[in-house]
Amino acid sequence: MIRIGILGYGNLGRGVECAVKQNEDMNLTAVFTRREPSSVQILTKDAPVYSISELLNHQNDIDVLIICGGSATDLPVQTPEYVKYFNVIDSFDTHAKIPEHFANVDKAARESGKTAIISAGWDPGMFSLSRVYADAILPSGKTYTFWGRGVSQGHSDAVRRIEGVADARQYTIPVPSSLEMVRNGETPNLSTREKHTRECFVAAKPGADLKRIEKEIKEMPNYFADYDTTVHFVSQEELNQNHSKISHGGFVICSGRTGWQEENQHVIEYSLKLDSNPEFTASVLAACARAAYRLNQEGSTGCKTLLDIPPAYLSRKSGGELRESML
């Protein structure tokens, strides 16, 4: 049994707990939290909840620590720190900063003899694999990534920070005409605005200036200014009833040609439709925990991403079973 520790018990941590339950070669050892442990009620009856201050006392009890913090401030600090003591997994998803995060974690992991897998999830993660496979197979091709229709947690949080907003959900939506062109094998040069639109559902506080809120949303740099954005003001009840799920998904599509004169066209498409973004991400993290454990047992240390992991290391099935049933 691979002994799993979970650091952080929000939506992602709870998803990891559920994923561990579904993998018969894993066992949840403990959950560690920055909150008062007695206030955290988990689903696994025989697993204790400890304060994060007690984490280092459990080095001999945990094979892999899955770190479920945020990419903005938690993971850049926590992952390189705790890989000094544990094999670790994280879901760091700030694409532009992955090389820096990788270098920091890799240095610490090599010094400690531990194994880390970072940026695991669906993008970065499963979508990254699809992009690499497509580029390797169709070197003359062009690859597009479309996200949605789904809830962007970061963009939703950005809207909630606006004065007068009580709650909000933001959906990222592919532009249908652009998606159809790419699926048909065309290779257009698409701007940010031409690939996605954004739709916001906002519950405003009583007396709030709705026109100001809408203006601030649509003009927010790095979030909405480069997109066609629609804002709907709804009641908190409607928001809770119709927009409570954290669903997401998307498509990676590569169009390329083969042949001496490049006369034959091919389209590769990988898609995801997710009822729960954090639960699917958590399931990827659990599979990566298995891979990190196996790699460390073999003496392979340092930092990895999903691009570095043999697919068989992610699977609970043996090599023989995989060759018989999957190959």
Side-chain angles (χ1 to χ4, degrees):
M1 297 292 285
I2 303 171
R3 300 171 298 172
I4 301 294
I6 297 174
L7 175 55
Y9 195 73
N11 290 327
L12 184 58
R14 191 176 298 106
V16 171
E17 181 184 18
C18 295
V20 169
K21 177 177 179 287
Q22 293 181 325
N23 286 280
E24 64 270 15
D25 59 343
M26 298 181 185
N27 181 63
L28 179 60
T29 297
V31 170
F32 299 87
T33 179
R34 287 180 291 200
R35 290 178 275 170
E36 168 55 46
S38 62
S39 70
V40 178
Q41 301 299 315
I42 68 172
L43 303 171
T44 308
K45 293 182 179 179
D46 58 350
V49 179
Y50 297 113
S51 166
I52 191 174
S53 63
E54 299 183 61
L55 179 55
L56 298 190
N57 297 332
H58 295 270
Q59 293 180 59
N60 297 326
D61 305 327
I62 295 171
D63 295 315
V64 184
L65 179 68
I66 301 180
I67 306 176
C68 299
S71 297
T73 57
D74 294 332
L75 298 180
V77 175
Q78 291 177 341
T79 308
E81 175 60 26
Y82 290 117
V83 79
K84 298 175 183 176
Y85 312 98
F86 303 94
N87 301 314
V88 300
I89 311 296
D90 80 18
S91 59
F92 185 80
D93 65 357
T94 307
H95 289 261
K97 296 185 178 180
I98 288 176
E100 176 186 348
H101 184 56
F102 181 96
N104 293 336
V105 176
D106 189 55
K107 181 177 184 296
R110 292 189 183 281
E111 290 174 354
S112 65
K114 299 297 184 182
T115 305
I117 301 177
I118 66 161
S119 300
W122 60 278
D123 198 359
M126 304 307 296
F127 272 15
S128 310
L129 284 173
S130 182
R131 287 188 285 263
V132 170
Y133 283 135
D135 179 70
I137 295 164
L138 296 175
S140 66
K142 190 169 183 179
T143 300
Y144 301 81
T145 302
F146 293 92
W147 299 279
R149 184 177 194 259
V151 174
S152 170
Q153 297 182 79
H155 285 70
S156 298
D157 288 339
V159 175
R160 285 193 286 268
R161 289 197 297 266
I162 294 175
E163 182 183 349
V165 173
D167 199 0
R169 296 290 186 279
Q170 186 272 318
Y171 293 89
T172 303
I173 307 167
V175 174
S177 58
S178 297
L179 181 58
E180 190 63 27
M181 275 195 293
V182 173
R183 277 185 169 152
N184 288 337
E186 300 177 45
T187 55
N189 293 318
L190 298 172
S191 67
T192 297
R193 191 177 300 275
E194 290 171 323
K195 286 190 290 186
H196 296 92
T197 61
R198 298 194 179 275
E199 188 171 16
C200 303
F201 292 84
V202 180
K205 295 178 181 178
D209 185 340
L210 303 187
K211 289 185 178 180
R212 176 188 55 79
I213 292 173
E214 181 173 359
K215 185 174 185 292
E216 285 193 36
I217 292 172
K218 291 183 174 181
E219 296 179 356
M220 189 182 297
N222 303 319
Y223 284 89
F224 298 101
D226 294 330
Y227 299 86
D228 290 333
T229 301
T230 305
V231 179
H232 307 279
F233 290 99
V234 298
S235 67
Q236 185 68 59
E237 290 74 21
E238 182 178 342
L239 197 67
N240 294 341
Q241 181 176 345
N242 298 331
H243 306 284
S244 59
K245 280 196 170 184
I246 312 175
S247 59
H248 218 317
F251 313 87
V252 175
I253 304 172
C254 176
S255 179
R257 292 183 173 274
T258 61
W260 193 252
Q261 302 294 332
E262 296 191 348
E263 63 271 22
N264 295 311
Q265 183 177 342
H266 312 275
V267 177
I268 300 171
E269 179 172 343
Y270 178 80
S271 67
L272 292 172
K273 184 178 181 182
L274 314 175
D275 268 357
S276 171
N277 179 353
E279 286 184 10
F280 185 86
T281 299
S283 296
V284 180
L285 294 177
C288 287
R290 179 183 293 113
Y293 175 76
R294 291 174 173 174
L295 288 166
N296 192 259
Q297 291 287 299
E298 294 175 358
S300 178
T301 63
C303 189
K304 323 284 183 185
T305 72
L306 269 168
L307 304 183
D308 307 303
I309 308 300
Y313 280 58
L314 298 167
S315 175
R316 65 187 181 279
K317 298 180 185 294
S318 69
E321 289 172 323
L322 288 173
R323 287 186 289 275
E324 182 179 351
S325 64
M326 300 288 185
L327 194 58

